[in-house]
């Protein structure tokens, strides 16, 4: 079979800092049939972005336009692309060399060349000088990851990891040029509904985090556009879709509450709670989780969340909604010891060690490996990760009675 052509689209505004690396990573693809389109969205950097792009000659196709936002640049590229597939690359991100090959192979394995593909990715925090992985199968079942808008509601999907057949744009439309920060998720929401996705559990891109990104420079737009996006999701998804995608409505509503809480939108939280009877939904699901706890031998143990950051606070909210009492937080930051975090006392690791024999400890951090090793070294016998617990909740939501879940031997780390 002749490899179909793929169009790699690089929209850029004042991109002289990272753009050369992005273009090089696109040109380094092992896949045999692709083009690279660079769209300069009216950069005002004295011609630096233009100079870098033109230095590649006919290795790329280069376009310039007046500044109008990333959606306008993407739409121009969509109109000009010659490939059958669309692959976005932000000017400050990187493709790994096998990105296109791995995704086309995934389509061939699925037997559907028009399915929408996305993948795991690595995150490179430029301000902290740290890299960390996004490995979603550790946290969510494949059934969820490949089901309609699930990865959007849980913000798992990085747009540059996608490979999209052009027919989906003909069906769902193009990017909304009135949106400054959510033009991608807004379109994906329309495009993904009632679709089966293909998830590649391998990091195929490296996404940079830095202070010049729109999430930092346009916080008001992020907050308001994000609010509208998720309110639309809450209003438009049917009960049947919610049950089919998330397994149990609690998991959907809890995620919305988590998002609105992170945005500081307490009024929206209260509206959702009243509109959907979330307290009753939580009670019902909490009973299923308690039965699972009993089967693991965890009933009656103290409950401690290790790490007091955003992950830990979201973990606390989740447990409280399910009707569990969290006895302690613990953290390596000594300034937190003796303090209350959201009304829960924070104790030192040394104090936790003394009571660990009868305490289930949940390591709540995006890369829990070092914390797990620390707790094991302290001799703490009952440790799980937030990622493991989250995955079990979704397995429980997808199962009819929750009997098919992993036992303690598969969950204790």
């Amino acid at each position: 079979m002749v490899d179909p052509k793929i169009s790699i689209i690089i929209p850029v505004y004042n991109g002289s800092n990272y753009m050369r690396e992005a273009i090089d990573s696109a040109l380094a693809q092992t896949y045999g049939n692709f083009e690279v389109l660079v769209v300069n969205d009216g950069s005002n950097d004295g011609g630096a972005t233009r100079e870098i792009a033109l230095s590649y000659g006919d290795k790329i196709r280069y376009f310039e336009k007046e500044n109008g936002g990333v959606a306008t640049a993407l739409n121009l590229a969509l109109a000009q692309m010659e490939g059958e597939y669309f692959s976005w690359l932000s000017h400050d991100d990187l493709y790994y060399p096998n990105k296109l090959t791995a995704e086309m192979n995934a389509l061939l394995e699925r037997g559907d060349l028009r399915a929408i593909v996305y993948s795991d990715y690595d995150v490179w925090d430029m301000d902290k000088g740290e890299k960390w992985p996004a490995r979603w199968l550790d946290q969510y079942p494949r059934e969820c990851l490949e089901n309609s808008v699930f990865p959007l509601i849980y913000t798992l999907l990085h747009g540059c990891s996608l490979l999209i057949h052009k027919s989906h744009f003909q069906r769902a439309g193009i990017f909304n040029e009135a949106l400054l920060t959510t033009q991608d998720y807004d379109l994906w929401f329309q495009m993904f509904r009632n679709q089966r996705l293909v998830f590649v559990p391998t990091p195929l891109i490296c996404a940079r985090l830095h202070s010049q990104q729109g999430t930092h420079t346009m916080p008001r737009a992020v907050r308001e556009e994000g609010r509208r996006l998720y309110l639309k999701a809450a209003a438009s998804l049917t009960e049947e879709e919610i049950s089919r995608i998330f397994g149990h409505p609690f998991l959907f509503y809890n995620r919305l509450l988590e998002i609105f809480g992170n945005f500081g939108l307490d009024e929206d939280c209260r509206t959702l709670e009243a509109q959907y009877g979330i307290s009753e939904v939580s009670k019902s699901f909490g009973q299923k989780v308690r039965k699972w706890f009993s089967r693991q031998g965890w009933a009656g143990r103290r409950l401690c969340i290790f790490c007091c950051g955003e992950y830990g606070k979201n973990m606390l909210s989740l447990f409280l909604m399910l009707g569990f009492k969290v006895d302690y937080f613990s953290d390596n930051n000594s300034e937190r010891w003796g303090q209350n975090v959201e009304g829960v006392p924070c104790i030192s690791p040394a104090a936790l060690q003394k009571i660990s024999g009868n305490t289930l400890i949940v390591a709540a951090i995006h890369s829990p490996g070092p914390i797990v090793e620390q707790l094991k070294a302290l001799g703490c016998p009952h440790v799980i990760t937030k990622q493991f617990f989250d995955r079990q909740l979704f397995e429980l939501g997808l199962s009819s009675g929750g009997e098919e879940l992993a036992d303690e031997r598969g969950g204790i780390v």
Side-chain angles (χ1 to χ4, degrees):
M1 184 187 76
V2 177
D3 293 336
K5 191 170 189 177
I6 298 173
S7 297
I8 301 174
I9 309 301
I10 306 179
V12 57
Y13 174 75
N14 291 351
S16 60
N17 49 358
Y18 300 120
M19 185 177 75
R20 187 177 294 280
E21 294 174 73
I23 295 175
D24 288 345
S25 76
L27 294 173
Q29 290 300 293
T30 59
Y31 187 77
N33 188 15
F34 67 90
E35 63 173 355
V36 177
L37 284 71
V38 176
V39 181
N40 185 344
D41 184 33
S43 297
N44 61 0
D45 55 1
T49 294
R50 177 189 300 114
E51 182 178 351
I52 292 172
L54 293 178
S55 72
Y56 285 89
D58 60 5
K59 293 179 181 179
I60 68 171
R61 297 173 61 199
Y62 177 65
F63 302 87
E64 286 189 6
K65 57 179 289 298
E66 292 184 1
N67 179 250
V70 65
T72 64
L74 289 167
N75 287 340
L76 185 152
L78 283 170
Q80 297 293 330
M81 71 181 229
E82 297 174 353
E84 288 187 50
Y85 293 88
F86 165 93
S87 187
W88 178 1
L89 175 57
S90 295
H91 85 274
D92 49 0
D93 294 332
L94 301 167
Y95 280 175
Y96 292 141
N98 64 329
K99 196 267 186 187
L100 302 184
T101 299
E103 292 182 332
M104 285 304 303
N105 286 341
L107 288 177
L108 289 170
E109 290 174 8
R110 176 61 62 88
D112 181 0
L113 292 180
R114 295 197 176 192
I116 298 169
V117 190
Y118 75 107
S119 73
D120 277 336
Y121 55 91
D122 292 325
V123 178
W124 188 359
D125 190 322
M126 304 302 294
D127 297 328
K128 295 181 180 179
E130 299 175 351
K131 276 189 178 181
W132 52 272
R135 303 292 184 269
W136 300 126
L137 269 181
D138 293 343
Q139 198 165 344
Y140 307 98
R142 184 182 287 273
E143 168 63 24
C144 292
L145 294 173
E146 297 189 340
N147 197 343
S148 186
V149 298
F150 181 93
L152 303 180
I153 300 299
Y154 278 82
T155 58
L156 311 180
L157 185 142
H158 194 290
C160 293
S161 76
L162 283 162
L163 184 69
I164 304 175
H165 191 270
K166 62 183 180 181
S167 62
H168 291 289
F169 292 98
Q170 296 164 355
R171 173 178 59 84
I174 59 177
F175 296 95
N176 185 341
E177 298 182 0
L179 297 174
L180 298 176
T181 64
T182 61
Q183 69 286 326
D184 50 354
Y185 264 47
D186 177 76
L187 179 56
W188 309 149
F189 186 79
Q190 299 174 61
M191 188 180 285
F192 289 11
R193 280 187 74 180
N194 301 310
Q195 299 292 309
R196 294 298 303 184
L197 313 176
V198 177
F199 173 68
V200 180
T202 302
L204 298 179
I205 70 167
C206 182
R208 280 189 172 97
L209 292 179
H210 56 84
S211 57
Q212 298 172 340
Q213 290 172 311
T215 52
H216 299 289
T217 60
M218 296 183 288
R220 183 176 297 179
V222 170
R223 182 176 183 270
E224 183 54 34
E225 289 185 3
R227 172 181 179 269
R228 292 200 301 266
L229 176 69
Y230 288 102
L231 284 175
K232 180 174 75 172
S236 60
L237 290 177
T238 66
E239 291 184 8
E240 187 277 331
E241 280 183 284
I242 291 170
S243 295
R244 174 168 48 82
I245 297 169
F246 301 93
H248 195 285
F250 168 80
L251 298 165
F252 173 65
Y253 299 138
N254 177 67
R255 176 55 182 162
L256 291 181
L257 291 175
E258 185 178 86
I259 291 169
F260 292 141
N262 291 341
F263 283 152
L265 300 170
D266 294 338
E267 184 175 344
D268 286 325
C269 287
R270 289 191 292 270
T271 300
L272 282 173
E273 289 172 349
Q275 182 175 353
Y276 295 105
I278 291 176
S279 60
E280 289 302 313
V281 173
S282 303
K283 181 179 178 181
S284 169
F285 194 65
Q287 290 172 347
K288 299 183 75 172
V289 178
R290 285 184 180 280
K291 290 179 180 178
W292 177 61
F293 258 57
S294 295
R295 291 196 299 275
Q296 308 309 306
W298 297 341
R301 287 187 181 153
R302 297 185 183 95
L303 189 56
C304 176
I305 299 172
F306 199 100
C307 295
C308 302
E310 180 180 325
Y311 266 47
K313 291 175 182 176
N314 287 340
M315 192 87 238
L316 172 64
S317 176
L318 174 63
F319 275 126
L320 293 178
M321 288 188 68
L322 291 171
F324 286 78
K325 177 189 176 185
V326 175
D327 298 281
Y328 305 107
F329 271 107
S330 188
D331 201 280
N332 285 324
N333 184 351
S334 60
E335 294 182 359
R336 297 184 183 273
W337 303 346
Q339 303 295 318
N340 280 347
V341 179
E342 306 288 328
V344 176
C346 182
I347 61 177
S348 68
L352 176 60
Q353 181 184 24
K354 295 177 181 178
I355 62 171
S356 64
N358 193 36
T359 303
L360 176 65
I361 306 169
V362 184
I365 190 170
H366 60 67
S367 297
I371 298 298
V372 170
E373 291 303 315
Q374 174 189 351
L375 293 170
K376 289 170 67 175
L378 290 174
C380 301
H382 310 296
V383 180
I384 64 174
T385 65
K386 179 183 184 297
Q387 288 81 356
F388 167 79
F389 183 69
D390 285 347
R391 183 183 175 96
Q392 298 314 303
L393 290 185
F394 283 99
E395 295 282 6
L396 181 57
L398 292 171
S399 67
S400 58
E403 301 299 330
E404 301 85 353
L405 299 183
D407 62 19
E408 184 170 354
R409 290 168 297 175
I412 294 291
V413 293

